[in-house]
Amino acid sequence: MIKKYLSITLGCFFTFIISMNAQNQGELLFKQKCTACHTVGGGKLIGPDLANMHVRRTEEWIIKFVQASQSVIKSGDTTALAVFNQHNKVVMPDQDLNANQIKSIIAYIASDSPD
């Protein structure tokens, strides 16, 4: 019985550590790759404020857009086209990030977004 509780406790602890590591990586990547054009709750810069964007868009959509925004726009995606038009048709540069890196940025944005 003690082994069972110990296993559960350790599992929760390691899950928490992994989650915190992803958020820390996401924060670092956000500061390196995104802050020139975006804020989280600080208002629009060149691109949109990304606060709570994880609620407005799916993870799959965000990953595709970050990796190749113009491809998503040219595919006829109406949401991508609307974002592009709302921000004066400024092209978001494609980001050389893999899906896991983008997911860590999304986790950081989610944790830093106002409720």
Side-chain angles (χ1 to χ4, degrees), residues 1-19:
M1 184 118 159
I2 292 175
K3 286 183 181 181
K4 181 179 178 181
Y5 289 119
L6 181 60
S7 294
I8 291 170
T9 302
L10 286 175
C12 290
F13 175 74
F14 287 121
T15 300
F16 174 75
I17 295 298
I18 290 168
S19 174

Side-chain angles (χ1 to χ4, degrees), residues 30-49:
F30 183 85
K31 288 179 179 177
Q32 290 173 342
K33 301 280 189 173
C34 310
T35 56
C37 299
H38 299 282
T39 69
V40 179
K44 179 185 178 217
L45 292 179
I46 294 168
D49 184 333

Side-chain angles (χ1 to χ4, degrees), residues 56-57 61 65 72-73 76-84 86:
R56 297 187 305 271
R57 310 281 184 260
W61 187 92
F65 193 82
V72 177
I73 292 165
D77 185 293
T78 56
T79 301
L81 186 58
V83 169
F84 183 61
Q86 288 169 355

Side-chain angles (χ1 to χ4, degrees), residues 30-114:
F30 183 85
K31 288 179 179 177
Q32 290 173 342
K33 301 280 189 173
C34 310
T35 56
C37 299
H38 299 282
T39 69
V40 179
K44 179 185 178 217
L45 292 179
I46 294 168
D49 184 333
L50 298 179
N52 296 308
M53 64 103 177
H54 60 287
V55 176
R56 297 187 305 271
R57 310 281 184 260
T58 67
E59 187 175 82
E60 179 184 354
W61 187 92
I62 295 167
I63 291 168
K64 286 180 184 177
F65 193 82
V66 169
Q67 290 175 333
S69 67
Q70 288 301 294
S71 294
V72 177
I73 292 165
K74 289 175 183 173
S75 76
D77 185 293
T78 56
T79 301
L81 186 58
V83 169
F84 183 61
N85 288 333
Q86 288 169 355
H87 298 284
N88 302 318
K89 298 185 179 181
V90 174
V91 175
M92 177 175 158
D94 294 347
Q95 299 299 310
D96 186 24
L97 297 167
N98 65 44
N100 287 332
Q101 290 172 313
I102 297 169
K103 288 177 185 179
S104 71
I105 294 171
I106 294 168
Y108 165 70
I109 291 169
S111 72
D112 203 40
S113 290

